[in-house]
Amino acid sequence: MSELKIGKLILNSRVLLSPLAGISDLPFRIINRQFGCRFAFTEMIDASSIKYRKRKKICRLETIPEDKPLGSQLLGWDSKTMLEGALFIQSQGIDLIDVNASCPAKKVIKKKAGAFLMREPEKLKEILKILTKNLEIPVTLKIRIGWDDNNLNAVEIALLAQDCGIDALVIHGRHYRQGHQGPVNYAIIKEVKKRLNIPVIANGGIWCGRDALLMFEQTGCDGIMIARGALGNPWIFKEIESFLKKGTSFVRPDFNMIRDTLVKHLHLLTNKDGVRLGIVKMRKFFRYYLKNIPGRKKIIPLLDKAKSEEEVAELIDTLFD
Ligand SMILES: Cc1cc2nc3c(=O)[nH]c(=O)nc-3n(C[C@H](O)[C@H](O)[C@H](O)COP(=O)(O)O)c2cc1C
């Protein structure tokens, strides 16, 4: 797939994996990369966690050579704290920093961070200027189309961000009030793309190759970002690549492929965090991988209580017998 240039960073794909809080840890990224994902983000980090060197949060930056190129997303409100956090992230060998102006979570909005920044253009400007001036790695911004139906200010914010020197803009085609539900507004993404000179990466509602093509066609965007479409479905990257090249979908994974990928994902987690915590962390992924598979409702509670990787594999096999 053709390349995407973000500042000095050249990605050899136009399909990126979104930052996903509580999801995008190293094992998740590795599994997705094994199926064609070429650029991923760590889980987002609150700049103040870096300032206070909170070990549990900082270990989100843990990576390995095959987990490259890698971006990290920063959350915050205070520009000096954001810079401190960004410089630390840069010092860890991360290739790109994205500023989060899209998160709708209550606890984030309360701290005036995330999507709240779309209501505070001057503050956002201060943050972006200080980051673009002081960082060597590319800086991007992830926004929404606006706050609500009456405040759709994506074009204004995007132009402001471009003036501040960001290297690319990511836009989720829903507003703050929509959360993660409801239709994606292609028209606003298209308008943003038309008005900017830097790359625009579009996000929202991409579940398959056809959705990916639709996003490119409807908006003229330079790249797309996959979020929930990759949960328990790392094959989406191959599917999109195939659809964009040939107009045909990649053959859906069979039971063996789902089983083997789930077991591999669990193994990566247990290797990193030990068996007990690995299985706890895998709980949400059991549900994603086994979605729509007959018999899963009986098996999932047993998987949640499993004590070893072997037990998980045996339980999964009973589903696929
Ligand atoms: C569990 C979960 C965690 C998310 N965490 C983040 C995050 O940390 N940073 C961010 O910018 N967006 C986050 N998002 C939003 C997604 O990146 C994406 O913008 C959104 O889900 C829309 O894309 P989709 O419709 O393809 O899922 C999260 C979404 C979900 C479902």
Side-chain angles (χ1 to χ4, degrees), residues 18-21 44 73 100 102 142 172 174 180 203-205 227-228:
S18 226
L20 290 160
M44 76 178 170
Q73 193 188 52
N100 183 320
S102 62
K142 183 165 180 268
H172 174 187
R174 299 184 178 96
H180 295 136
N203 162 251
R228 287 169 295 176

Side-chain angles (χ1 to χ4, degrees), residues 7-143:
K8 64 179 183 181
L9 187 65
I10 297 174
L11 307 182
N12 59 1
S13 170
R14 293 179 176 272
V15 185
L16 291 74
L17 180 58
S18 226
L20 290 160
I23 304 276
S24 330
D25 58 5
L26 181 58
F28 178 76
R29 301 195 301 269
I30 294 298
I31 284 288
N32 279 279
R33 286 184 193 274
Q34 286 177 357
F35 288 97
C37 164
R38 312 273 172 83
F39 182 87
F41 280 93
T42 68
E43 289 180 75
M44 76 178 170
I45 305 192
D46 188 326
S48 62
S49 310
I50 298 179
K51 183 180 168 108
Y52 297 111
R53 295 290 186 269
K54 292 193 179 161
R55 209 177 49 85
K56 257 189 165 170
K57 301 286 169 65
I58 288 178
C59 72
R60 289 181 184 168
L61 298 173
E62 185 187 350
T63 180
I64 54 173
E66 65 185 284
D67 184 34
K68 295 271 276 174
L70 178 65
S72 198
Q73 193 188 52
L74 201 54
L75 187 75
W77 160 263
D78 177 66
S79 55
K80 280 197 189 122
T81 312
M82 290 287 272
L83 177 61
E84 205 176 306
L87 287 170
F88 180 82
I89 291 174
Q90 179 176 267
S91 76
Q92 301 301 298
I94 303 286
D95 302 291
L96 174 152
I97 286 184
D98 181 70
V99 174
N100 183 320
S102 62
C103 180
K106 263 193 195 145
K107 62 178 183 190
V108 169
I109 299 294
K110 233 169 136 180
K111 290 186 190 163
K112 301 184 174 179
F116 194 85
L117 287 173
M118 292 202 65
R119 297 174 59 164
E120 299 283 338
E122 285 308 312
K123 193 71 200 175
L124 185 59
K125 202 165 156 181
E126 189 186 311
I127 294 170
L128 294 178
K129 273 196 167 162
I130 200 167
L131 295 191
T132 54
K133 188 169 163 229
N134 290 287
L135 292 179
E136 280 160 29
I137 55 175
V139 176
T140 62
L141 174 71
K142 183 165 180 268
I143 63 169

Side-chain angles (χ1 to χ4, degrees), residues 93-299:
I94 303 286
D95 302 291
L96 174 152
I97 286 184
D98 181 70
V99 174
N100 183 320
S102 62
C103 180
K106 263 193 195 145
K107 62 178 183 190
V108 169
I109 299 294
K110 233 169 136 180
K111 290 186 190 163
K112 301 184 174 179
F116 194 85
L117 287 173
M118 292 202 65
R119 297 174 59 164
E120 299 283 338
E122 285 308 312
K123 193 71 200 175
L124 185 59
K125 202 165 156 181
E126 189 186 311
I127 294 170
L128 294 178
K129 273 196 167 162
I130 200 167
L131 295 191
T132 54
K133 188 169 163 229
N134 290 287
L135 292 179
E136 280 160 29
I137 55 175
V139 176
T140 62
L141 174 71
K142 183 165 180 268
I143 63 169
R144 286 180 170 253
I145 56 169
W147 187 257
D148 57 22
D149 283 330
N150 300 317
N151 295 283
L152 298 170
N153 62 345
V155 171
E156 177 202 327
I157 295 289
L159 286 170
L160 171 150
Q162 177 173 265
D163 282 349
C164 292
I166 63 162
D167 295 289
L169 180 94
V170 183
I171 175 164
H172 174 187
R174 299 184 178 96
H175 57 61
Y176 158 78
R177 295 262 179 234
Q178 284 179 286
H180 295 136
Q181 305 305 326
V184 168
N185 190 322
Y186 296 122
I188 293 183
I189 302 177
K190 184 177 179 181
E191 184 60 21
V192 166
K193 165 62 195 162
K194 217 166 81 189
R195 303 282 295 276
L196 296 196
N197 307 315
I198 53 172
V200 172
I201 298 157
N203 162 251
I206 302 173
W207 300 95
C208 62
R210 195 174 291 278
D211 295 335
L213 182 65
L214 194 69
M215 184 63 99
F216 278 114
E217 285 182 349
Q218 294 288 312
T219 68
C221 63
D222 302 284
I224 55 172
M225 209 177 238
I226 311 303
R228 287 169 295 176
L231 297 177
N233 186 30
W235 308 278
I236 191 168
F237 291 93
K238 282 230 158 70
E239 187 197 342
I240 290 175
E241 192 179 325
S242 161
F243 201 87
L244 295 179
K245 260 194 207 148
K246 301 181 226 151
T248 52
S249 279
F250 164 75
V251 181
R252 302 299 301 166
D254 60 13
F255 282 172
N256 281 335
M257 175 83 105
I258 296 173
R259 175 209 187 271
D260 291 352
T261 309
L262 184 156
V263 168
K264 202 174 198 177
H265 193 158
L266 174 62
H267 186 66
L268 289 170
L269 278 167
T270 58
N271 244 0
K272 182 171 165 290
D273 296 313
V275 173
R276 208 186 65 82
L277 187 56
I279 292 177
V280 169
K281 287 192 176 177
M282 192 66 194
R283 285 179 183 165
K284 51 184 170 278
F285 293 108
F286 289 145
R287 286 150 179 83
Y288 295 131
Y289 281 110
L290 300 178
K291 200 169 142 195
N292 302 328
I293 290 185
R296 72 191 177 286
K297 284 196 178 140
K298 267 195 196 152
I299 294 291

